[in-house]
Amino acid sequence: MDNPTAESPSLGLYPAGSAGVPDPARPRRDIRGKLTLSRLPAMPPVLMQLLDLIQRDDLYLGDLAALIGRDVGLVSRTFSAATSAAFLGRNRPASLDQCLSLLGVNAVKTIVINESVMRVFNHFADIREVNLDDFWEHSLRCALIARELARRLDYPSPDEAYLGGLMHDVGRLAMLATDPEGYKRIFREHEDGESLCTVEHGVFALTHVEVGAWLVEKWGLDSFLGDSVLYHHEPLERLRSAPLLVRIVRLAECLANTRGQQPTALTPEALTLCDTAIGHEDELLDGVEAELQRLAEQFGIKLSTQKMTEAEAEPAAATKATAARDDQLAARVRDILLVNQALSGFPEANTHQLALQATVQAANLLFEVEASLCFEPTPGASERYRARLLGASPAAPLSVHSSRVAQLEFVAGSSAALLARSMQAGPQLVMGGGRGLEVLDEQLLRSLGGAGVLYLPLRSRSTCPTILVAPIASADQAAALGQKLPCLAYFGRMSAERLAQTSRLEAFPLASATNPAADDGRLNRLVHELNNPLAIIRNYVAILETENASKGSAQPELAIVREEIDRAAKLLKSARQQASPEADIPPSAPGQVDLNRTIGDLVSLIRKSMPQAGPVEIRLALADKVPTIVSDRDRLKQLLVNLIKNAMEAMPKGGSICVATAPWGLGEAGPSHVEIRVEDNGPGIPREVLARLYQQVASSKAGEHQGLGLAIVGQLVRELNGLINCRSGDDGTRFQVLLPMTRQTG
């Protein structure tokens, strides 16, 4: 192999076992320098669903992970962003969930929109004639098989095996994106791994397994994931002593290549590659095919195992289908760009009325509709919505019936009118001439005149909806607007955010970046954190007073109480340091921390001092050999108190909490991290909270809880250079925290 270029020095380090002999008559194409700049194309159906998902009010990172995890290009982009230099000083995420938690919702939204724009406007048009459906199908089939194999073999991270299966052919996609002209024919005509590597090496002096492994290794994961990509075409006998992840992905690739055939067609060496017979291979593959069929229907992809007509099987038909999906994506991206441009073209308004007027003008420019009136919540009764005229209206009937129209109203949740339903269902088109409409809808049609009416809700997470009402002049206009309903919905959400921002400025004109003294977020956080140790001290001192009065003896927990008093004193001291913006919680000096002992002492204290949380059982599952770590003990205790206290408050009628520890990961000298798990069997975290898990939210719990606990958890984990992952459902919630064995500095 040629010497690697300066742009990609690691590309020459991977020997390809089946690279073959290059053809001296064919000139080589050097693409190594371009690989660092190439962008992997994402599938338009996945991007379109992501564009819809990121606009939802109840956006949840778990839903994003489920969709992003279906696409090789998006997984690669997400890992690249989460492990980039911008996040130096933190531990590298080991899973897609951790990547998304580290990046945050806003960054993920940016990635989705950017990838959509690049798909539409970049050079991906050059590969339209290449049908990527087969590539997607094979990658996802291999990923699903690898995950199921990992579960049957008790591999500790089935998600990592899924990622290995999904990414095993990422090098093919990268080479296609880098040099579509030189690679298109190779991509289409060679499916057999050995022959494909032979041709690739002859043309590029590189193979897709080398390129794929190089891309994965750039993420810097403490994993054999890159090796699973590098060796997925190796002869089976070479892999007998390879790591289990490498063998799982290799076997998954073998099973995926059966493509509906019986797995018994594979050699016994393949079926026993993982040192044991998997058993029930037919059942495994049947389950995978059922899941794959469901996903194909979700994304509108036709599987290769489905029967196709001759016309559908023609390459031209596949090219046309790909172009149609690209056109749909282009339309959605165009809508987003147009809405953002239209709304940003108006100056920032300092009153709600001016902001609403700008929104009406933007709707007119984008959709050629004239909103004549709106429905807004009545002051003091947010569920009752009443009509309000929007200035001079072009609709003549309103000038005659203005006082009557202004009396129209409905109550949210109790009205069946399409106007009320639009608050949840999105923009509605109501045409006259039919029967069965609610009286309120008929009254609006009659008052506005014209052929119909458009209801356009301006709704966001943080505001009660305002509904714009605009007349529709003709059936042709209604048909044109019907094609733009997704764009109208996006316009409504973005406009609502602008209205919410204006309302906040009206209510709190001094609370801005130019007047930090008016921002009480810092004070709220301090008060919240003071409540935790002070509550412990207050309750436990009462217990001590009672016990000491009867026994006359000291208790060993007094030392722990003194530590909590010391921590409270530090917090009080920080409250006086107003000049320092980072003085919220002063750091203690990092030192050796016996994690099991710290957790045991803290849980012992909490068990006795928080009876008000209900009959909650706190169990410990501490691993026997958890190495001592170097960390900030005070911050670590704050983190644990918040997680445990939050779980207790979520179960006022009782429940169970388990706090567990374990070594985690592999490093040169043993485990790279320690794992702390706090699990409960409560009702789970609401989706609206999961969507902004580590941000301050309005608490739904009873009492004086401020919704600050999880926001503080997120910051504490970052300050400890750790990673956090949350899984929550009807059967409970699990927080997993990974802390490095030694404190890292940025």
Side-chain angles (χ1 to χ4, degrees):
M1 181 173 294
D2 294 344
N3 291 329
T5 63
E7 291 86 349
S8 52
S10 61
L11 284 177
L13 299 181
Y14 296 111
S18 55
V21 180
D23 182 359
R26 177 181 294 172
R28 286 181 172 176
R29 303 172 70 98
D30 189 0
I31 64 171
R32 285 173 291 184
K34 299 177 183 178
L35 281 168
T36 58
L37 303 176
S38 65
R39 300 180 71 96
L40 306 185
M43 295 193 63
V46 177
L47 286 172
M48 287 189 63
Q49 292 196 28
L50 282 169
L51 288 173
D52 290 338
L53 182 62
I54 63 177
Q55 297 167 25
R56 284 172 44 181
D57 291 333
D58 59 345
L59 177 61
Y60 168 42
L61 282 178
D63 295 335
L64 282 172
L67 262 179
I68 290 174
R70 308 305 186 194
D71 186 90
V72 176
L74 285 171
V75 167
S76 180
R77 182 71 185 93
T78 303
F79 266 92
S80 295
T83 58
S84 66
F87 292 91
L88 286 177
R90 302 179 184 177
N91 287 296
R92 292 187 177 272
S95 68
L96 184 58
D97 283 349
Q98 290 177 0
C99 282
L100 296 177
S101 295
L102 186 61
L103 290 170
V105 171
N106 289 334
V108 176
K109 286 181 178 181
T110 300
I111 288 174
V112 171
I113 292 175
N114 284 350
E115 293 306 306
S116 302
V117 172
M118 293 301 295
R119 171 79 196 196
V120 172
F121 298 111
N122 207 339
H123 64 278
F124 297 147
D126 297 338
I127 62 174
R128 272 190 172 185
E129 61 190 79
V130 179
N131 184 8
L132 291 176
D133 287 1
D134 290 343
F135 173 86
W136 174 86
E137 175 186 343
H138 176 70
S139 297
L140 194 52
R141 178 182 282 114
C142 189
L144 295 171
I145 294 174
R147 182 166 61 191
E148 186 58 32
L149 288 175
R151 288 170 176 166
R152 296 189 179 202
L153 294 167
D154 294 327
Y155 184 71
S157 180
D159 289 341
E160 184 184 38
Y162 174 93
L163 196 60
L166 184 73
M167 302 297 292
H168 78 288
D169 268 344
V170 66
R172 294 183 65 198
L173 198 62
M175 295 176 78
L176 180 65
T178 302
D179 189 355
E181 187 60 35
Y183 196 70
K184 280 188 293 190
R185 182 181 60 81
I186 299 173
F187 187 93
R188 285 196 305 259
E189 297 178 2
H190 296 274
E191 294 185 1
D192 176 70
E194 184 173 353
S195 65
L196 176 60
C197 287
T198 299
V199 174
E200 289 170 342
H201 190 268
V203 176
F204 299 99
L206 289 171
T207 65
H208 71 280
V209 297
E210 296 173 284
V211 172
W214 173 72
L215 288 172
V216 173
E217 291 292 347
K218 284 176 62 180
W219 302 342
L221 304 180
D222 185 14
S223 166
F224 288 111
L225 190 64
D227 286 350
S228 73
V229 174
L230 179 63
Y231 296 118
H232 77 270
H233 285 317
E234 287 296 312
L236 299 177
E237 59 270 14
R238 291 197 67 214
L239 301 180
R240 290 297 174 188
S241 59
L244 182 55
L245 176 63
V246 175
R247 288 178 283 147
I248 285 175
V249 173
R250 181 68 175 96
L251 178 56
E253 207 258 348
C254 290
L255 289 170
N257 284 334
T258 62
R259 301 179 66 162
Q261 304 173 19
Q262 292 297 319
T264 51
L266 295 176
T267 63
E269 290 78 8
L271 292 175
T272 59
L273 180 62
C274 296
D275 298 329
T276 181
I278 302 302
H280 305 289
E281 291 87 0
D282 292 335
E283 176 190 345
L284 184 155
L285 292 181
D286 287 344
V288 165
E289 291 303 314
E291 175 70 3
L292 193 61
Q293 177 63 43
R294 184 187 68 80
L295 294 173
E297 293 174 356
Q298 176 185 351
F299 297 123
I301 302 297
K302 186 174 288 295
L303 299 179
S304 60
T305 53
Q306 295 174 326
K307 294 182 179 180
M308 296 186 296
T309 66
E310 292 184 3
E312 290 174 325
E314 289 294 326
T319 301
K320 185 177 180 181
T322 300
R325 291 199 296 264
D326 280 343
D327 290 343
Q328 290 177 334
L329 178 62
R332 190 64 56 84
V333 171
R334 181 197 61 220
D335 290 345
I336 291 174
L337 296 178
L338 285 174
V339 168
N340 290 343
Q341 179 64 31
L343 292 177
S344 63
F346 289 93
E348 291 291 337
N350 55 11
T351 68
H352 178 81
Q353 180 60 32
L354 290 176
L356 187 59
Q357 181 180 343
T359 300
V360 171
Q361 293 170 348
N364 178 257
L365 290 175
L366 284 174
F367 309 109
E368 298 183 356
V369 295
E370 292 279 0
S372 306
L373 69 150
C374 70
F375 280 78
E376 294 177 316
T378 304
S382 60
E383 294 184 352
R384 183 173 297 278
Y385 282 73
R386 177 164 292 182
R388 179 167 70 86
L389 298 178
L390 293 172
S393 171
L398 284 183
S399 61
V400 178
H401 306 298
S402 58
S403 61
R404 188 171 67 187
V405 170
Q407 298 178 49
L408 296 178
E409 63 179 28
F410 68 89
V411 177
S414 62
S415 173
L418 288 173
L419 173 68
R421 288 165 54 186
S422 71
M423 294 171 61
Q424 299 296 330
Q428 299 287 312
L429 293 170
V430 182
M431 301 304 292
R435 293 191 175 275
L437 290 176
E438 291 291 315
V439 171
L440 179 58
D441 295 320
E442 288 189 353
Q443 287 176 310
L444 287 169
L445 275 169
R446 190 169 62 252
S447 298
L448 288 171
V453 65
L454 167 69
Y455 300 144
L456 176 55
L458 312 179
R459 181 178 184 274
S460 73
R461 185 198 311 273
S462 56
T463 61
C464 295
T466 295
I467 306 175
L468 298 183
V469 182
I472 299 175
S474 65
D476 290 339
Q477 185 187 16
L481 289 172
Q483 299 293 321
K484 299 177 181 179
L485 287 179
C487 188
L488 284 162
Y490 180 71
F491 175 85
R493 281 186 285 269
M494 296 302 295
S495 299
E497 290 294 337
R498 289 170 60 90
L499 290 173
Q501 182 179 4
T502 302
S503 297
R504 286 192 293 268
L505 289 175
E506 277 191 295
F508 305 102
L510 298 180
S512 67
T514 59
N515 186 10
D519 184 2
D520 62 351
R522 178 175 176 273
L523 181 58
N524 282 342
R525 184 181 173 206
L526 283 168
V527 171
H528 180 275
E529 279 306 294
L530 284 170
N531 281 336
N532 285 334
L534 290 179
I536 293 174
I537 294 168
R538 183 169 51 253
N539 292 325
Y540 199 69
V541 165
I543 295 173
L544 287 177
E545 289 175 344
T546 302
E547 292 182 352
N548 286 340
S550 60
K551 297 180 180 179
S553 61
Q555 298 295 315
E557 289 86 355
L558 281 174
I560 305 174
V561 173
R562 284 196 299 271
E563 290 181 4
E564 292 301 318
I565 294 174
D566 290 341
R567 188 159 72 90
K570 290 181 181 180
L571 291 171
L572 287 170
K573 181 179 178 181
S574 71
R576 297 193 298 268
Q577 298 173 341
Q578 297 292 335
S580 173
E582 296 181 353
D584 305 54
I585 300 174
S588 60
Q592 298 287 329
V593 177
D594 184 334
L595 188 61
N596 282 354
R597 180 176 179 179
T598 300
I599 292 176
D601 288 346
L602 193 61
V603 168
S604 175
L605 189 61
I606 291 175
R607 282 172 175 160
K608 296 181 178 181
S609 62
M610 291 188 174
Q612 77 278 9
V616 176
E617 175 193 11
I618 306 179
R619 297 181 293 107
L620 294 177
L622 307 179
D624 292 336
K625 296 181 179 180
V626 175
T628 299
I629 63 173
V630 177
S631 190
D632 185 329
R633 193 164 182 265
D634 282 350
R635 278 184 163 82
L636 179 56
K637 291 175 69 176
Q638 281 181 266
L639 172 66
L640 292 168
V641 167
N642 272 293
L643 288 176
I644 296 172
K645 188 167 179 283
N646 195 73
M648 295 174 75
E649 291 168 352
M651 301 183 293
K653 296 182 180 179
S656 174
I657 299 172
C658 179
V659 183
T661 60
W664 192 93
L666 294 176
E668 294 181 359
S672 58
H673 296 72
V674 290
E675 176 189 36
I676 304 172
R677 294 192 311 277
V678 179
E679 305 176 70
D680 67 63
N681 61 352
I685 300 175
R687 289 181 63 89
E688 62 271 16
V689 178
L690 281 170
R692 297 183 293 172
L693 193 58
Y694 306 115
Q695 304 174 33
Q696 181 177 345
V697 297
S699 176
S700 60
K701 293 180 288 189
E704 299 178 356
H705 310 297
Q706 301 175 39
L708 283 163
L710 293 179
I712 295 172
V713 163
Q715 180 171 335
L716 288 170
V717 170
R718 289 191 294 271
E719 292 170 350
L720 292 169
N721 294 314
L723 294 167
I724 187 167
N725 189 30
C726 175
R727 293 289 180 91
S728 186
D730 295 339
D731 56 347
T733 300
R734 183 195 72 181
F735 282 94
Q736 177 197 43
V737 178
L738 301 178
L739 298 178
M741 293 301 302
T742 58
R743 187 176 180 87
Q744 300 179 4
T745 58

